[in-house]
Amino acid sequence: MGETRHSQDCVEELRRERAQCSFNMEELTNFLDGRKQLTIRRREIEQLMCTDPAFIDEVPIEYLSHEELYSNELRKVTHLTKKMADLNISLRELNSTMALELLRDGNPLGLHMSMFSDALQGLASPEQQQKWVSMIVKNKVIGTYAQTEMGHGTFLRGLETTATYDSKTQEFVLHSPTITSTKWWPGGLGKTSSVAIVMAQLYTQGQCHGPHPFFVQLRDLNTHRTLPGVTVGEIGPRLGINSQDNGFLSFNHFRIPRTNMLMKHSQVTEDGTYIKPIHQKLSYGTMVQTRVGIAFMCARKLACAVTIATRYSAVRHQSELIPGEPEPQILEYQTQQYKLLPHIASVFAFIFASRSLLEVYHKVTADIGKGNVNYLPELHSLSSGLKAVSSQDSTLGIETCRLACGGHGYIASSRLPLLYTSTTCAITYEGENTVLYLQVARYLIKSYQAAMKGKPVLPSVSYLCTPPAIQRTNSLSSKDLKEAFRTSSASLVKEVEARLQKLCDMGQDFPHAWNSCSVSLVHCAELHIRYYICEQFLRTVESVTVSEGVKNVLLGLCRLYLIHNAILNQGHFLRSGALSEAELSLLEEEMCELLAELRKQAVPLVDSFDIRDELLGSTLGAWDGQVYQRLYDEALKSPLNKTDVPKAYYQYLRPLLKSNL
């Protein structure tokens, strides 16, 4: 574990849970981190960060105003940046350690450290990178990524901000023609960033060439004052992430040099000639990388939530399982096991699928460098779908964990409300999930139609070419279940494509036919991505070289994940014939057996996530299980408890009591 811990340091319930561990926890932690050396390095960095008093909040953040929240988090992240430089800790190492959990409710430099930097690397020419990257590395500028507009989110082609080229001055004129064209939501935009990568419609020689990225200075680099022609500010409190200054931005005929258009893939020459990229979606690379990062982030947030809820469920005693007997741990109830264990399995599923997709990303990126863009649509489809499923399932999982903790899960000090609000936003940002599912569905339909014409299709959709064949053993193995997902997905794509074609044959134009089938198309996309996740989960746990104990617990988690998701989607399996009613009934019985079996490993499994108490930040989920003392101690920190009689009593309550109404 990250800190030196002894069994006698924790409550009796958790001591018993840890004593029945059937696998090598440290080995599983190493596997989740990637390898032993990465675990060692992560712990080194976490020790440096978590023992630094600068990261300790003197007042719990729930009691701070909006401005205080922002200021406090900016204090911590600037200290973090300096500490990283002093200790030679790279941004990649910091992200891998998740030490950014020290900044729990939003990071004012979050987009600067991620999308802004990634976009420069992926979209700027070598000359532009040489000019700007050194400024970023030396923290001479703070940047953000300004794409979403008040009236236009995921639909990139609908953006209204314009960048019109003036060949006489060799400048682009940035302009926000309407209120809805105001950039809205970018993190760090409101008060922190001095520059931004702005997506705007490119106009040159009287033609519009669609949205393109531009490097734009927003504030004076010495005074931080907003430049003339730029209007920028903060959008106000949100459901969560209120430490971050999400902002708005508009332009009034604001001029930037021609060379500030990011020109790695497309260019505008001095006379205004537009040179288009070899592939229209090359600029999506940054978004793809961001979406894979979101999947990893969601897995981490869900890991925190199940750690909190599982440890609490082992400590909490409630009601009577057997009348007259002592109150059991709530983890003994099957309903509680059902609330938690499938989500523990989901953490592993998302980590393995994200890793696999990251490998695809690196391969495709290397191919693009050689001029091969054939796999780009597949990468875009998989990253869009994985982002959608992971954010959707993690949000639901975290809320389930909160509910599993009863009333105490509603208390801010449990950290579960904060985990929920900082995860549910991922359903919307960097591509709203329904829109992403429909993009995946478009790729599926196109691929299926191509396959039916005998044309080659890419690996992730190659199963659409072959007719669904239900051949399995009597035991209904995990491989059989994976094939059932494959069959159901292929069958649903075939069914919905036929419905689309029928509507078109009846005279509907394709866009209206597509809209008429859109609910089913979303189901197609979701089922396809769930098949991909199941496939990667099973492939990983079957091929990994680990000890028998670790292998067995991974196989059990994979089995639970497959069965749980099959039962949740049983309608698709029944319609396609991939599973029968009798088989689904048997699977439900087996799931209950798996819950009882894995329940014994629940606490060791969440312990293997190796999340330090300082990063977990929960009164309910600390390693020692001292739930009630921590709840009480945290309650004493409330400002209302500084005085026995509050000022409001004298101002409002006492006059009421004395009024003889």
Side-chain angles (χ1 to χ4, degrees), residues 429-496:
Y429 68 61
E430 311 315 334
E432 193 276 332
N433 280 3
T434 300
V435 175
L436 293 183
Y437 278 135
L438 289 171
Q439 290 177 6
V440 175
R442 194 173 294 275
Y443 177 64
L444 288 173
I445 297 298
K446 283 183 177 179
S447 298
Y448 174 75
Q449 291 173 338
M452 292 303 99
K453 294 175 183 176
K455 296 179 181 178
V457 294
L458 294 171
S460 74
V461 289
S462 59
Y463 71 94
L464 297 175
C465 306
T466 54
I470 305 171
Q471 297 177 346
R472 55 176 174 265
T473 62
N474 293 329
S475 63
L476 206 61
S477 67
S478 292
K479 183 179 178 182
D480 293 332
L481 281 179
K482 182 200 74 173
E483 289 301 303
F485 271 95
R486 173 185 180 276
T487 299
S488 296
S489 181
S491 176
L492 188 59
V493 171
K494 179 181 179 181
E495 177 187 325
V496 177

Side-chain angles (χ1 to χ4, degrees), residues 114-171:
S114 56
M115 284 197 75
F116 175 74
S117 300
D118 293 341
L120 272 185
Q121 295 283 352
L123 303 176
S125 67
E127 297 78 17
Q128 290 174 321
Q129 288 188 37
Q130 189 175 9
K131 177 182 177 182
W132 291 321
V133 170
S134 63
M135 296 173 67
I136 297 166
V137 171
K138 295 175 182 177
N139 293 302
K140 298 298 182 185
V141 297
I142 301 297
T144 187
Y145 187 87
Q147 176 172 296
T148 300
E149 295 177 356
M150 188 187 288
H152 300 274
T154 306
F155 183 53
L156 196 58
R157 294 193 305 276
L159 296 180
E160 295 180 89
T161 303
T162 59
T164 306
Y165 184 62
D166 182 349
S167 59
K168 294 177 183 177
T169 61
Q170 294 190 22
E171 292 174 315

Side-chain angles (χ1 to χ4, degrees), residues 11-221:
V11 297
E12 176 60 28
E13 291 88 347
L14 290 180
R15 189 170 19 233
R16 288 199 307 267
E17 296 292 330
R18 288 165 177 144
Q20 60 186 356
C21 179
S22 67
F23 61 92
N24 186 320
M25 247 194 299
E26 183 68 11
E27 184 185 1
L28 183 53
T29 298
N30 297 159
F31 177 56
L32 287 170
D33 282 331
R35 60 181 185 274
K36 184 177 180 179
Q37 290 77 9
L38 293 177
T39 299
I40 293 170
R41 179 59 173 159
R42 170 178 61 78
R43 287 174 177 166
E44 286 175 353
I45 296 172
E46 288 180 351
Q47 179 67 13
L48 290 167
M49 300 300 175
C50 293
T51 56
D52 187 336
F55 294 115
I56 298 173
D57 295 312
E58 293 182 10
V59 178
I61 62 172
E62 290 78 19
Y63 300 116
L64 300 180
S65 69
H66 192 183
E67 185 174 1
E68 288 170 336
L69 275 172
Y70 167 69
S71 179
N72 183 52
E73 222 64 5
L74 195 57
R75 172 189 64 81
K76 288 194 285 187
V77 74
T78 52
H79 176 75
L80 176 65
T81 304
K82 293 172 187 173
K83 196 175 180 84
M84 288 169 60
D86 292 341
L87 299 173
N88 197 28
I89 298 171
S90 70
L91 189 58
R92 180 175 295 180
E93 285 180 312
L94 187 73
N95 285 334
S96 68
T97 66
M98 290 297 172
L100 282 175
E101 283 174 2
L102 292 166
L103 315 169
R104 291 196 187 111
D105 195 29
N107 171 10
L109 300 187
L111 259 71
H112 171 74
M113 293 175 165
S114 56
M115 284 197 75
F116 175 74
S117 300
D118 293 341
L120 272 185
Q121 295 283 352
L123 303 176
S125 67
E127 297 78 17
Q128 290 174 321
Q129 288 188 37
Q130 189 175 9
K131 177 182 177 182
W132 291 321
V133 170
S134 63
M135 296 173 67
I136 297 166
V137 171
K138 295 175 182 177
N139 293 302
K140 298 298 182 185
V141 297
I142 301 297
T144 187
Y145 187 87
Q147 176 172 296
T148 300
E149 295 177 356
M150 188 187 288
H152 300 274
T154 306
F155 183 53
L156 196 58
R157 294 193 305 276
L159 296 180
E160 295 180 89
T161 303
T162 59
T164 306
Y165 184 62
D166 182 349
S167 59
K168 294 177 183 177
T169 61
Q170 294 190 22
E171 292 174 315
F172 286 102
V173 182
L174 291 173
H175 188 58
S176 306
T178 63
I179 186 68
T180 51
S181 67
T182 305
K183 296 295 180 184
W184 195 266
W185 274 116
L189 174 62
K191 296 296 175 183
T192 307
S193 297
S194 49
V195 299
I197 290 174
V198 176
M199 294 297 290
Q201 300 286 358
L202 169 63
Y203 284 85
T204 181
Q205 296 179 339
Q207 282 189 301
C208 179
H209 298 284
H212 284 68
F214 298 84
F215 185 93
V216 184
Q217 183 177 337
L218 307 175
R219 294 177 179 271
D220 185 284
L221 300 186

Side-chain angles (χ1 to χ4, degrees), residues 229-476:
V230 174
T231 301
V232 65
E234 211 268 347
I235 65 173
R238 283 78 62 186
L239 177 65
I241 59 171
N242 284 300
S243 298
Q244 186 167 285
D245 56 320
N246 293 78
F248 62 82
L249 168 67
S250 62
F251 301 100
N252 183 13
H253 302 288
F254 183 70
R255 289 177 174 266
I256 60 173
R258 177 186 67 87
T259 51
N260 276 34
M261 173 182 161
L262 300 187
M263 295 194 186
K264 182 175 183 178
H265 302 303
S266 53
Q267 297 87 38
V268 170
T269 63
E270 291 183 5
D271 66 357
T273 302
Y274 176 70
I275 302 171
K276 65 181 182 180
I278 57 173
H279 194 287
Q280 287 300 319
K281 292 186 178 180
L282 279 176
S283 60
Y284 287 8
T286 300
M287 198 64 78
V288 167
Q289 192 173 6
T290 300
R291 286 171 181 161
V292 176
I294 289 171
F296 275 117
M297 179 275 289
C298 288
R300 180 67 175 191
K301 298 280 191 182
L302 183 57
C304 288
V306 291
T307 298
I308 294 165
T310 301
R311 287 175 177 168
Y312 175 73
S313 297
V315 172
R316 179 74 170 185
H317 293 257
Q318 188 74 42
S319 303
E320 292 180 339
L321 189 59
I322 301 172
E325 292 290 317
E327 292 180 290
Q329 298 161 281
I330 58 175
L331 195 51
E332 291 298 325
Y333 292 101
Q334 187 184 80
T335 50
Q336 193 76 353
Q337 295 161 14
Y338 181 74
K339 288 175 184 176
L340 302 179
L341 287 162
H343 295 301
I344 294 176
S346 291
V347 174
F348 288 84
F350 295 148
I351 289 173
F352 298 154
S354 299
R355 279 184 186 169
S356 175
L357 189 52
L358 202 56
E359 291 174 8
V360 175
Y361 171 77
H362 290 313
K363 180 183 182 303
V364 173
T365 302
D367 288 346
I368 290 171
K370 301 172 186 175
N372 177 8
V373 296
N374 294 338
Y375 284 82
L376 197 56
E378 172 145 298
L379 179 62
H380 179 256
S381 169
L382 287 173
S383 64
S384 298
L386 184 59
K387 180 267 181 187
V389 169
S390 62
S391 59
Q392 171 184 309
D393 287 8
S394 295
T395 298
L396 176 62
I398 291 168
E399 175 65 354
T400 302
C401 288
R402 186 187 70 76
L403 295 171
C405 293
H408 290 330
Y410 197 69
I411 295 175
S413 68
S414 73
R415 201 195 164 197
L416 291 165
L418 190 60
L419 282 168
Y420 178 82
T421 57
S422 63
T423 306
T424 189
C425 51
I427 290 175
T428 308
Y429 68 61
E430 311 315 334
E432 193 276 332
N433 280 3
T434 300
V435 175
L436 293 183
Y437 278 135
L438 289 171
Q439 290 177 6
V440 175
R442 194 173 294 275
Y443 177 64
L444 288 173
I445 297 298
K446 283 183 177 179
S447 298
Y448 174 75
Q449 291 173 338
M452 292 303 99
K453 294 175 183 176
K455 296 179 181 178
V457 294
L458 294 171
S460 74
V461 289
S462 59
Y463 71 94
L464 297 175
C465 306
T466 54
I470 305 171
Q471 297 177 346
R472 55 176 174 265
T473 62
N474 293 329
S475 63
L476 206 61

Side-chain angles (χ1 to χ4, degrees), residues 638-657:
S638 171
L640 284 174
N641 290 323
K642 287 184 178 180
T643 57
D644 183 36
V645 181
K647 291 180 182 178
Y649 169 80
Y650 298 104
Q651 288 177 293
Y652 307 113
L653 190 55
R654 185 178 178 180
L656 174 65
L657 295 171

